[in-house]
Amino acid sequence: MLVFGALEIVFSQIPNFHEIWWLSIVAAVMSFTYSSIGLGIGIANTVANGGFRGTIAGATNVTAMQKVWRSLQALGNIAFAFAFSNVLTEIQDTIKAPPPSESAVMKKATRMSVVATSVFYALCGFMGYAAFGNAAPDNLLTGFGFYEPFWLVDAANVAIAVHLVGAYQVFVQPIFAFVERRVSQRWPDSGFVNNELRLGPFCISAFRLLWRSLFVCFTTVVAMALPFFGVVVGLLGAISFWPLTVYLPSEMYIAQRNVRRGSALWIGLKLFAALGLIVSVAATTGSVAGFVGEFNKFRPFSG
């Protein structure tokens, strides 16, 4: 994790999305790689077991309430996996001018990515449960799921690490851009903020080097201190899902298209937003319960 943090400090000096397109491609290839490996090993284990180990009723060694909390927490994980609206406009900004239009390209890319993500995630989840049943771990590759063949599992874990390097930058670049834009507007004549040194894809200023490095160090320390990754991901996904993925986009659509108040489309969008709020609240509740449960046996930096 320290090595990961050090790499992110370096890559964080790349100023914006325009300069990290190649890193996004690498991350996408790595995601496809480890998902395919996980799916393939899940199918192989299911065949070797002679059938499915999972059952419709699920685990019998937990209470009904624990099942409810875990199911709601799973909603948070799903929400996190599909909550990309906070980086959508930043990614669209990197698309070259028409033809075709930026929005047309982004719509096509969004449809393809959502379908591909849904298919792979669903198949990995189904086959992991089929292979291990109630003993399926949170992470099929790094948990107690797959150990053989060793070289293939190691390759998958390397792909995960490389993918996360790129994914970190995709999600953090809008934060960097927002803060630096505000600071530059506040102190337009400051050399500390605005004087830059260009080195290949890197564009270094004193402020950018200091603030981005501190941000990466902070997130790295937090990640090392909290040894329950899945619960944290579920909580973050649940909290951010409704406002960023459901409410704001639907309200922006209503305003941009001048959707008439009381029309069928307006009612449908409002009902969709209400449903999203219910899902977000339920997932947050389950994630908080899971967080509390993990925190009771929490030991900082326990790995």
Side-chain angles (χ1 to χ4, degrees):
M1 295 181 75
L2 288 173
V3 172
F4 181 88
L7 287 173
E8 295 302 346
I9 289 177
V10 174
F11 284 120
S12 291
Q13 301 311 311
I14 298 176
N16 52 51
F17 269 117
H18 295 279
E19 305 288 347
I20 63 168
W21 59 269
W22 57 273
L23 191 59
S24 298
I25 293 176
V26 171
V29 172
M30 293 298 102
S31 178
F32 181 81
T33 299
Y34 69 73
S35 297
S36 299
I37 291 174
L39 176 60
I41 298 180
I43 294 174
N45 273 260
T46 302
V47 173
N49 294 335
F52 297 158
R53 287 192 173 180
T55 62
I56 296 296
T60 58
N61 60 338
V62 296
T63 66
M65 187 54 65
Q66 286 176 317
K67 284 186 180 182
V68 171
W69 294 137
R70 293 180 183 183
S71 297
L72 295 179
Q73 181 184 325
L75 284 178
N77 288 321
I78 295 171
F80 183 86
F82 288 93
F84 58 90
S85 60
N86 55 327
V87 296
L88 187 143
T89 54
E90 297 285 346
I91 294 174
Q92 182 171 321
D93 190 46
T94 67
I95 299 175
K96 295 182 179 180
S101 68
E102 294 177 357
S103 60
V105 173
M106 201 65 196
K107 285 180 181 179
K108 183 178 179 180
T110 300
R111 284 195 297 268
M112 292 174 62
S113 62
V114 169
V115 170
T117 299
S118 301
V119 169
F120 265 99
Y121 282 1
L123 287 176
C124 287
F126 293 156
M127 294 315 303
Y129 189 54
F132 297 101
N134 301 332
D138 287 343
N139 191 321
L140 292 177
L141 294 170
T142 59
F144 58 85
F146 301 130
Y147 290 114
E148 295 181 355
F150 293 105
W151 64 270
L152 191 59
V153 177
D154 288 343
N157 284 316
V158 169
I160 291 174
V162 175
H163 170 238
L164 290 177
V165 170
Y168 186 99
Q169 289 300 315
V170 169
F171 277 92
V172 83
Q173 282 290 343
I175 300 174
F176 289 159
F178 173 79
V179 172
E180 289 162 15
R181 186 165 54 246
R182 289 300 183 90
V183 171
S184 181
Q185 291 171 352
R186 178 67 176 81
W187 294 284
D189 301 321
S190 172
F192 177 79
V193 174
N194 298 299
N195 289 349
E196 296 179 340
L197 174 64
R198 190 80 187 195
L199 297 171
F202 302 99
C203 190
I204 303 172
S205 69
F207 173 73
R208 181 177 293 126
L209 178 63
L210 177 63
W211 121 258
R212 292 192 179 193
S213 298
L214 289 175
F215 183 91
V216 173
C217 289
F218 172 75
T219 56
T220 302
V221 171
V222 171
M224 293 172 65
L226 300 178
F228 27 96
F229 175 78
V231 176
V232 174
V233 166
L235 182 60
L236 293 176
I239 293 174
S240 63
F241 175 71
W242 182 74
L244 297 180
T245 305
V246 180
Y247 177 73
L248 286 178
S250 62
E251 290 297 314
M252 291 166 64
Y253 182 86
I254 290 173
Q256 195 256 348
R257 296 298 179 93
N258 294 316
V259 178
R260 183 173 57 84
R261 186 181 183 87
S263 64
L265 179 57
W266 185 88
I267 294 173
L269 289 171
K270 292 297 182 179
L271 289 175
F272 175 68
L275 177 61
L277 178 60
I278 293 172
V279 171
S280 190
V281 171
T284 302
T285 304
S287 296
V288 169
F291 192 91
V292 171
E294 293 289 342
F295 200 81
N296 288 333
K297 48 187 179 182
F298 167 65
R299 289 186 299 112
F301 303 99
S302 60

